[in-house]
Amino acid sequence: MHSRNHWGGSFEINGETNSNHTTDYDRSREMDWVDRAALPSSGGIHRHELDETQQSWLLGSQQEKNKKSKYVDLGCVVCSRKALKWTLWGLAAAFFLIALPIIIAKSIPAHKSRPPPPDNYTVALHKALLFFNAQKSGKLPKNNGVPWRGSSGLSDGNGTTDTKGGLVGGYYDAGDNIKFHFPMSFAMTMLSWSVIEYSHKYEAINEYDHVRELIKWGTDYLLLTFNSSASRIDKIYSQVGGSRNGSTTPDDHYCWQRPEDMDYPRPVQTANSGPDLAGEMAAALASASIVFRDNPTYSKKLVKGAETVFAFARDFGRRNPYSRGNPYIEPFYNSTGYFDEYMWGAAWLYYATGNNTYISLATNPGLSKNSKAFFMIRDLSYLTWDNKLPAAMLLLTRLRIMLSPGYPYEDMLKMYHNVTGLTMCSYLRQYQVFNWTKGGMIQLNRGEPQPLQYIANAAFLSSLFVDYLNSTGAPGWNCGPTFIPSSVLRSFATSQINYILGDNPMKMSYVVGYGTKFPRHVHHRGASIPNDKKSYSCTGGWKWRDTKNPNPNNINGAMVGGPDRFDQFKDVRTNYSYTEPTLAGNAGLVAALVSLTSSGGLKIDRNTIFSAVPPLYPGTPPPPPPWKP
């Protein structure tokens, strides 16, 4: 029985062997692909034409070849060769049209866009700091920045036997050539406080190194005024140079000479008691120690000096005011009390050391009673070189609202906080605690001369209080039953500084060099005498004092005394009430300006001031030792 061939015919072939044409192997290969049914049943092998189906079998390899020529096998996918070609051309075009320009643009050095122009407060701040360069005494560095000033006072303190190198250095106080250590210390404390709170702003305007150098110039000098390496001292040098009222002998007031030309005696005043002076010096050194925490050796030196001088301040047998009965000091920088300096100095020493002894003193009920902290006396509610009470309470309020130390300090800190809030309320015009001029200046000193230093200090405290509130998320505070938004107090601060900078009825800036209209006859010896390489005698300089010509040297950044209670200002050199600047006044101005400038962001440094303060609550106890069977 034969197998069926579905294509027709038998699979059998003639068994005859044709050895002449093929071998058995060749025949077997031929039979592998030739359809046996196509072969004749007898005779030799004859080929005939194939039908369409057979052709498709036989020609399939050629069709596949043609098909492969049109497609490309990429491994994971087969795609048209034409599509691949267009894709590659498209990618190349995209590279040249898009990627290449980007690469070229990136390779070209970027053109930095101009930073936004500084605000008015920043411009004024640059100048206000420069005033301190103009007031320097001692051997000046070459880069001091005030070309008409040179080294001076190099013989100061030569008569003192217990100070190495005498009392060379420090700052002249105002338009004369006297170094008053009490307001000088206050000025250094204010500068340090402003740096602690706003170091990021000083850095943003490239004044950080400058202001630190100014502080160090002052604290280096203060460390010379007592034996800062000792644990206990019995005196402080309180002043270099000076004058008696009505004097007709050569001294710092009778003579009109540049500091570089001084040729008259400069006596040194010594205080064998002085809790006020010593308390302020302790505050200056302690606050500066926080500024220089990145310099441990110097910072520790400042802390050591602060603790030594504060111990002198607290000595029960040395509690007479430093100025009492001294005709060289009392008429000019008389101190009216010292309990505010106790609170002020103790607060700064606590922040500098973390020693609870100091915060216990600062919150002692007897201290607040003697300082009249809770009496709400109007004249004690604004900051001056003589009255530190509002600043000390604000500084301690910071501790309460940011660290909340609790018992046993909470009761007193809460009262300081409440009084601070009421002090801020008193600055608002709507409560009519203080009189105001028609031009918009608050009269903190009852309309007396030289008002600007007091309103600058008030602007600083107000602006800082707002920043304290903002840092804790408080939108304002209460004045009695009325809630006052923080923005209202900030507006007070800006209005007063704007008044100083020219928003006043005189349309005059009271900061020399700021704006186009500012005082040109400043009561200042160095600024009023030409830098012509000539030395003028004690009375030979009077012609420069009395001339109506403008000063040959602008003492840039100096904030003058300011207008009277009618907003009127007389630009007259001999009238020091209007035209004389002071070290303490400019320190308050610097602090206010840096608090208000938007450079560096509107915020404070919350934590640096607390660097030395230990944890207020017990830490987490260590875990128990592993159990052992």
Side-chain angles (χ1 to χ4, degrees):
M1 188 173 179
H2 300 289
S3 301
R4 295 282 299 178
N5 179 2
H6 299 286
W7 300 101
S10 171
F11 281 113
E12 295 181 6
I13 62 174
N14 194 303
E16 294 181 1
T17 303
N18 189 354
S19 56
N20 295 329
H21 297 283
T22 60
T23 65
D24 290 341
Y25 174 76
D26 290 334
R27 285 198 302 270
S28 67
R29 284 179 56 84
E30 194 172 286
M31 292 299 293
D32 286 341
W33 62 274
V34 176
D35 186 350
R36 297 182 185 186
L39 300 177
S41 60
S42 62
I45 299 175
H46 297 282
R47 303 179 184 275
H48 65 277
E49 292 185 3
L50 304 176
D51 61 24
E52 292 180 0
T53 304
Q54 291 170 330
Q55 289 182 30
S56 68
W57 280 85
L58 294 173
L59 299 177
S61 60
Q62 183 64 33
Q63 293 172 349
E64 289 296 328
K65 184 177 181 181
N66 294 336
K67 182 178 179 181
K68 289 181 180 178
S69 67
K70 295 180 180 180
Y71 293 89
V72 177
D73 187 353
L74 298 178
C76 59
V77 65
V78 176
C79 67
S80 167
R81 184 179 297 274
K82 184 176 182 180
L84 178 62
K85 181 178 69 174
W86 281 108
T87 300
L88 294 176
W89 276 110
L91 291 175
F95 174 79
F96 283 102
L97 294 176
I98 300 175
L100 188 60
I102 293 176
I103 294 172
I104 295 174
K106 292 289 185 181
S107 64
I108 297 174
H111 176 69
K112 295 182 179 180
S113 59
R114 292 183 179 180
D119 59 31
N120 291 340
Y121 303 130
T122 298
V123 174
L125 178 58
H126 286 302
K127 296 184 180 297
L129 287 168
L130 196 59
F131 169 76
F132 290 87
N133 295 65
Q135 294 300 102
K136 283 181 179 178
S137 179
K139 181 69 174 178
L140 300 189
K142 293 181 179 179
N143 61 343
N144 189 50
V146 183
W148 46 270
R149 279 301 326 277
S151 299
S152 63
L154 301 181
S155 299
D156 285 351
N158 275 356
T160 59
T161 58
D162 53 349
T163 57
K164 188 176 181 180
L167 295 170
V168 177
Y171 292 96
Y172 300 116
D173 177 67
D176 49 36
N177 301 327
I178 305 173
K179 296 190 290 193
F180 291 101
H181 300 168
F182 190 42
M184 186 192 303
S185 299
F186 173 72
M188 295 304 103
T189 309
M190 291 292 285
L191 290 182
S192 293
W193 194 5
S194 73
V195 172
I196 293 167
E197 303 285 10
Y198 301 108
S199 61
H200 54 285
K201 293 191 177 187
Y202 281 113
E203 289 175 348
I205 64 172
N206 297 319
E207 287 285 9
Y208 181 66
D209 292 336
H210 181 202
V211 70
R212 279 166 52 105
E213 186 269 330
L214 295 177
I215 294 169
K216 191 173 186 298
W217 190 271
T219 53
D220 281 351
Y221 177 75
L222 292 178
L223 290 171
L224 298 176
T225 63
F226 65 98
N227 187 357
S228 58
S229 62
S231 297
R232 299 190 67 85
I233 58 175
D234 58 4
K235 65 180 177 182
I236 299 174
Y237 295 114
S238 56
Q239 182 174 312
V240 175
S243 175
R244 291 174 179 264
N245 270 342
S247 172
T248 56
T249 59
D251 59 25
D252 283 288
H253 279 173
Y254 181 77
C255 296
W256 194 269
Q257 287 180 288
R258 301 171 66 247
E260 294 79 3
D261 298 333
M262 295 182 296
D263 57 1
Y264 47 81
R266 288 173 55 78
V268 175
Q269 305 301 313
T270 304
N272 298 112
S273 66
D276 34 21
L277 171 62
E280 183 56 67
M281 289 176 67
L285 297 175
S287 58
S289 75
I290 301 174
V291 172
F292 293 101
R293 197 170 293 280
D294 59 343
N295 183 348
T297 301
Y298 189 61
S299 181
K300 290 177 181 178
K301 184 178 182 180
L302 292 170
V303 169
K304 176 67 167 57
E307 292 185 311
T308 296
V309 77
F310 196 70
F312 177 86
R314 293 287 293 159
D315 190 333
F316 190 77
R318 303 179 185 276
R319 295 197 178 179
N320 288 324
Y322 91 106
S323 57
R324 180 173 296 175
N326 190 321
Y328 288 95
I329 302 176
E330 199 168 32
F332 309 105
Y333 283 105
N334 182 45
S335 174
T336 58
Y338 54 83
F339 286 100
D340 56 323
E341 278 86 16
Y342 279 171
M343 187 186 298
W344 181 236
W348 279 116
L349 274 164
Y350 175 65
Y351 288 138
T353 66
N355 188 332
N356 287 338
T357 301
Y358 296 117
I359 189 62
S360 297
L361 173 62
T363 56
N364 186 297
L367 192 60
S368 59
K369 178 182 178 181
N370 286 301
S371 65
K372 300 180 175 62
F374 306 141
F375 286 26
M376 294 308 301
I377 298 174
R378 185 175 66 172
D379 289 342
L380 296 181
S381 63
Y382 61 94
L383 174 62
T384 75
W385 52 264
D386 181 36
N387 174 43
K388 319 311 181 337
L389 197 56
M393 288 192 286
L394 176 59
L395 193 62
L396 293 167
T397 294
R398 190 191 210 280
L399 177 66
R400 179 177 187 256
I401 65 179
M402 294 187 189
L403 293 188
S404 187
Y407 181 83
Y409 315 115
E410 170 62 16
D411 287 346
M412 291 303 296
L413 291 178
K414 183 178 180 180
M415 295 180 73
Y416 290 153
H417 189 176
N418 290 340
V419 173
T420 296
L422 292 174
T423 297
M424 300 302 159
C425 298
S426 73
Y427 297 156
L428 303 181
R429 196 167 190 170
Q430 66 201 69
Y431 292 106
Q432 300 180 350
V433 176
F434 295 98
N435 293 328
W436 290 64
T437 67
K438 291 182 178 180
M441 178 179 66
I442 188 172
Q443 293 182 286
L444 296 171
N445 64 333
R446 298 177 180 269
E448 294 296 315
Q450 300 178 327
L452 297 186
Q453 58 180 308
Y454 309 118
I455 71 172
N457 289 342
F460 170 61
L461 296 188
S462 302
S463 181
L464 187 57
F465 183 66
V466 170
D467 285 335
Y468 287 172
L469 294 178
N470 290 343
S471 69
T472 58
W477 83 109
N478 289 315
C479 291
T482 306
F483 177 80
I484 305 295
S486 298
S487 58
V488 174
L489 189 60
R490 182 86 77 182
S491 294
F492 161 77
T494 56
S495 71
Q496 297 308 292
I497 296 302
N498 290 346
Y499 183 99
I500 293 173
L501 297 182
D503 187 10
N504 54 65
M506 298 292 294
K507 301 302 178 185
M508 170 181 280
S509 164
Y510 295 119
V511 177
V512 177
Y514 179 83
T516 56
K517 183 181 179 183
F518 51 83
R520 304 282 181 169
H521 302 78
V522 179
H523 183 95
H524 191 275
R525 285 160 174 76
S528 65
I529 299 176
N531 185 26
D532 55 7
K533 310 302 181 183
K534 296 180 180 179
S535 179
Y536 296 93
S537 66
C538 172
T539 56
W542 287 1
K543 66 177 179 179
W544 304 115
R545 178 194 65 190
D546 299 332
T547 181
K548 294 183 180 180
N549 295 330
N551 288 349
N553 309 306
N554 278 330
I555 181 165
N556 286 323
M559 181 181 72
V560 296
D564 59 25
R565 59 195 177 97
F566 302 109
D567 297 306
Q568 298 301 302
F569 178 82
K570 297 179 181 179
D571 190 8
V572 178
R573 188 178 299 106
T574 53
N575 195 331
Y576 59 85
S577 295
Y578 290 105
T579 59
E580 187 171 24
T582 65
L583 204 66
N586 253 73
L589 175 66
V590 165
L593 289 170
V594 75
S595 73
L596 291 174
T597 181
S598 59
S599 300
L602 296 174
K603 59 182 180 179
I604 58 165
D605 181 339
R606 281 178 56 99
N607 300 318
T608 296
I609 198 172
F610 298 130
S611 297
V613 175
L616 298 173
Y617 306 102
T620 304
W627 179 80
K628 293 181 180 180

